[in-house]
Coordinates of all heavy atoms in Angstrom, one line a residue:
T531 N 119.1 156.4 141.5 CA 118.5 157.5 140.7 C 117.5 158.3 141.6 O 117.5 159.5 141.6 CB 117.7 157.1 139.5 OG1 118.7 156.4 138.6 CG2 117.1 158.2 138.7
T532 N 116.7 157.6 142.5 CA 115.8 158.2 143.4 C 116.5 159.1 144.3 O 116.1 160.2 144.6 CB 114.9 157.2 144.0 OG1 114.3 156.4 143.0 CG2 113.9 157.8 145.0
I533 N 117.6 158.5 144.9 CA 118.3 159.2 145.9 C 119.0 160.6 145.3 O 119.0 161.6 146.0 CB 119.4 158.4 146.6 CG1 118.7 157.2 147.4 CG2 120.3 159.1 147.5 CD1 119.7 156.2 147.8
I534 N 119.5 160.4 144.1 CA 120.3 161.5 143.5 C 119.2 162.6 143.1 O 119.4 163.8 143.2 CB 121.0 161.0 142.2 CG1 122.2 160.2 142.7 CG2 121.5 162.2 141.5 CD1 122.9 159.4 141.6
A535 N 118.0 162.2 142.7 CA 117.0 163.1 142.2 C 116.2 163.8 143.3 O 115.8 164.9 143.1 CB 116.0 162.4 141.3
A536 N 116.2 163.2 144.5 CA 115.4 163.7 145.6 C 115.6 165.1 146.0 O 114.7 165.9 146.0 CB 115.5 162.8 146.9
P537 N 117.0 165.5 146.1 CA 117.2 167.0 146.5 C 116.7 167.9 145.5 O 116.3 169.1 145.9 CB 118.7 167.0 146.7 CG 119.2 165.6 146.9 CD 118.2 164.8 146.1
F538 N 116.6 167.6 144.3 CA 116.3 168.5 143.2 C 114.7 168.4 142.9 O 114.1 169.4 142.6 CB 117.0 168.2 141.9 CG 118.5 168.1 142.0 CD1 119.2 166.9 142.2 CD2 119.2 169.3 142.1 CE1 120.5 166.9 142.4 CE2 120.6 169.3 142.3 CZ 121.2 168.1 142.5
A539 N 114.2 167.2 143.0 CA 112.8 166.9 142.7 C 111.8 167.3 143.7 O 110.7 167.8 143.4 CB 112.6 165.4 142.3
I540 N 112.1 167.1 145.0 CA 111.2 167.4 146.1 C 111.1 168.9 146.2 O 112.2 169.5 146.5 CB 111.6 166.7 147.4 CG1 111.6 165.2 147.2 CG2 110.7 167.1 148.6 CD1 112.1 164.3 148.4
G541 N 110.0 169.5 146.1 CA 109.7 170.9 146.1 C 109.6 171.4 144.8 O 109.5 172.6 144.6
F542 N 109.8 170.5 143.8 CA 109.9 171.0 142.4 C 108.9 170.4 141.5 O 108.1 171.0 140.7 CB 111.2 170.9 142.0 CG 111.4 171.1 140.4 CD1 111.3 172.4 139.9 CD2 111.6 170.1 139.6 CE1 111.4 172.6 138.5 CE2 111.8 170.2 138.2 CZ 111.7 171.5 137.6
L543 N 108.7 169.1 141.6 CA 108.0 168.3 140.6 C 106.5 168.6 140.7 O 105.8 168.5 139.6 CB 108.2 166.8 140.9 CG 109.4 166.1 140.3 CD1 109.5 164.6 140.7 CD2 109.4 166.2 138.8
H544 N 106.0 169.0 141.8 CA 104.5 169.3 141.8 C 104.1 170.4 140.9 O 102.9 170.6 140.6 CB 104.1 169.5 143.3 CG 104.6 170.7 143.9 ND1 105.8 170.9 144.5 CD2 104.1 172.0 143.8 CE1 106.0 172.1 144.9 NE2 105.0 172.9 144.6
T545 N 105.0 171.2 140.5 CA 104.7 172.3 139.5 C 104.4 171.8 138.1 O 104.0 172.6 137.3 CB 105.9 173.3 139.5 OG1 107.1 172.7 139.1 CG2 106.1 173.9 140.8
Y546 N 104.7 170.5 137.9 CA 104.4 169.9 136.6 C 103.3 168.7 136.9 O 103.7 167.6 137.0 CB 105.6 169.3 135.9 CG 106.6 170.4 135.5 CD1 107.6 170.8 136.4 CD2 106.5 171.0 134.3 CE1 108.6 171.7 136.1 CE2 107.5 172.0 133.9 CZ 108.5 172.3 134.9 OH 109.4 173.3 134.4
P547 N 102.1 169.1 136.9 CA 101.0 168.1 137.4 C 101.0 166.9 136.4 O 100.7 165.8 136.9 CB 99.7 168.9 137.3 CG 100.2 170.3 137.5 CD 101.5 170.4 136.8
V548 N 101.1 167.0 135.1 CA 101.1 166.0 134.1 C 102.2 165.0 134.5 O 102.0 163.8 134.5 CB 101.2 166.5 132.7 CG1 101.2 165.2 131.7 CG2 100.0 167.3 132.4
L549 N 103.4 165.5 134.6 CA 104.6 164.6 134.9 C 104.4 163.9 136.3 O 104.6 162.7 136.4 CB 105.9 165.4 134.8 CG 107.2 164.7 135.3 CD1 107.3 163.5 134.4 CD2 108.4 165.6 135.2
S550 N 104.0 164.7 137.3 CA 103.9 164.1 138.7 C 102.8 163.1 138.7 O 103.0 162.1 139.3 CB 103.5 165.4 139.6 OG 104.5 166.2 139.7
G551 N 101.7 163.4 138.0 CA 100.6 162.3 138.1 C 101.0 161.0 137.5 O 100.8 160.0 138.0
S552 N 101.8 161.0 136.4 CA 102.2 159.8 135.8 C 103.2 159.1 136.6 O 103.1 157.8 136.7 CB 102.9 160.1 134.4 OG 101.9 160.7 133.5
L553 N 104.2 159.8 137.2 CA 105.2 159.2 138.0 C 104.5 158.6 139.3 O 104.9 157.5 139.8 CB 106.2 160.2 138.4 CG 107.1 160.7 137.3 CD1 108.1 161.8 137.8 CD2 107.9 159.6 136.7
I554 N 103.5 159.2 139.8 CA 102.8 158.8 141.0 C 102.1 157.5 140.7 O 102.0 156.6 141.6 CB 101.9 159.8 141.6 CG1 102.7 160.9 142.3 CG2 100.9 159.3 142.6 CD1 101.8 162.2 142.7
A555 N 101.5 157.4 139.6 CA 100.8 156.2 139.1 C 101.8 154.9 139.2 O 101.4 153.8 139.6 CB 100.2 156.3 137.8
Y556 N 103.0 155.2 138.8 CA 104.0 154.1 138.8 C 104.4 153.8 140.1 O 104.4 152.6 140.6 CB 105.2 154.5 138.0 CG 105.2 154.4 136.5 CD1 104.8 155.5 135.7 CD2 105.5 153.2 135.9 CE1 104.7 155.4 134.3 CE2 105.3 153.0 134.5 CZ 104.9 154.2 133.7 OH 104.9 154.0 132.4
S557 N 104.7 154.9 141.0 CA 105.2 154.6 142.3 C 104.3 153.9 143.3 O 104.6 152.9 143.9 CB 105.8 155.8 142.9 OG 104.8 156.8 143.2
V558 N 103.0 154.5 143.3 CA 102.0 153.9 144.2 C 101.7 152.4 143.8 O 101.5 151.6 144.7 CB 100.7 154.8 144.1 CG1 99.6 154.1 144.9 CG2 101.1 156.1 144.7
S559 N 101.5 152.1 142.5 CA 101.2 150.8 142.0 C 102.3 149.8 142.4 O 102.1 148.7 142.9 CB 100.9 150.7 140.6 OG 102.0 151.0 139.8
T560 N 103.6 150.3 142.4 CA 104.7 149.4 142.7 C 104.7 149.2 144.2 O 104.9 148.0 144.6 CB 106.0 150.1 142.2 OG1 106.0 150.3 140.8 CG2 107.2 149.3 142.6
I561 N 104.6 150.2 145.0 CA 104.7 150.1 146.5 C 103.6 149.2 147.0 O 103.9 148.2 147.8 CB 104.5 151.5 147.2 CG1 105.7 152.4 146.9 CG2 104.4 151.3 148.6 CD1 105.6 153.8 147.2
V562 N 102.4 149.4 146.6 CA 101.2 148.6 147.0 C 101.4 147.2 146.5 O 101.1 146.2 147.3 CB 99.8 149.2 146.6 CG1 98.7 148.3 146.9 CG2 99.8 150.6 147.1
C563 N 101.7 147.0 145.3 CA 101.8 145.6 144.7 C 102.9 144.8 145.5 O 102.7 143.7 145.9 CB 102.2 145.7 143.3 SG 102.2 144.0 142.4
V564 N 104.1 145.4 145.8 CA 105.2 144.8 146.4 C 104.7 144.5 147.9 O 105.0 143.4 148.4 CB 106.4 145.6 146.4 CG1 107.5 145.0 147.3 CG2 107.0 145.7 145.0
A565 N 104.1 145.4 148.5 CA 103.8 145.3 150.0 C 102.8 144.2 150.2 O 103.0 143.3 151.1 CB 103.2 146.6 150.5
I566 N 101.8 144.1 149.3 CA 100.7 143.1 149.5 C 101.3 141.7 149.1 O 101.0 140.7 149.8 CB 99.5 143.4 148.7 CG1 98.8 144.7 149.2 CG2 98.5 142.3 148.7 CD1 97.6 145.1 148.5
T567 N 102.2 141.7 148.1 CA 102.8 140.4 147.7 C 103.6 139.8 148.7 O 103.5 138.7 149.0 CB 103.5 140.6 146.4 OG1 102.7 141.1 145.4 CG2 104.2 139.3 146.0

Side-chain angles (χ1 to χ4, degrees):
T531 301
T532 301
I533 294 172
I534 293 170
F538 308 97
I540 297 175
F542 169 72
L543 278 178
H544 67 272
T545 59
Y546 295 91
V548 176
L549 174 58
S550 294
S552 298
L553 293 174
I554 285 172
Y556 280 95
S557 64
V558 172
S559 63
T560 301
I561 293 168
V562 174
C563 185
V564 171
I566 295 178
T567 298

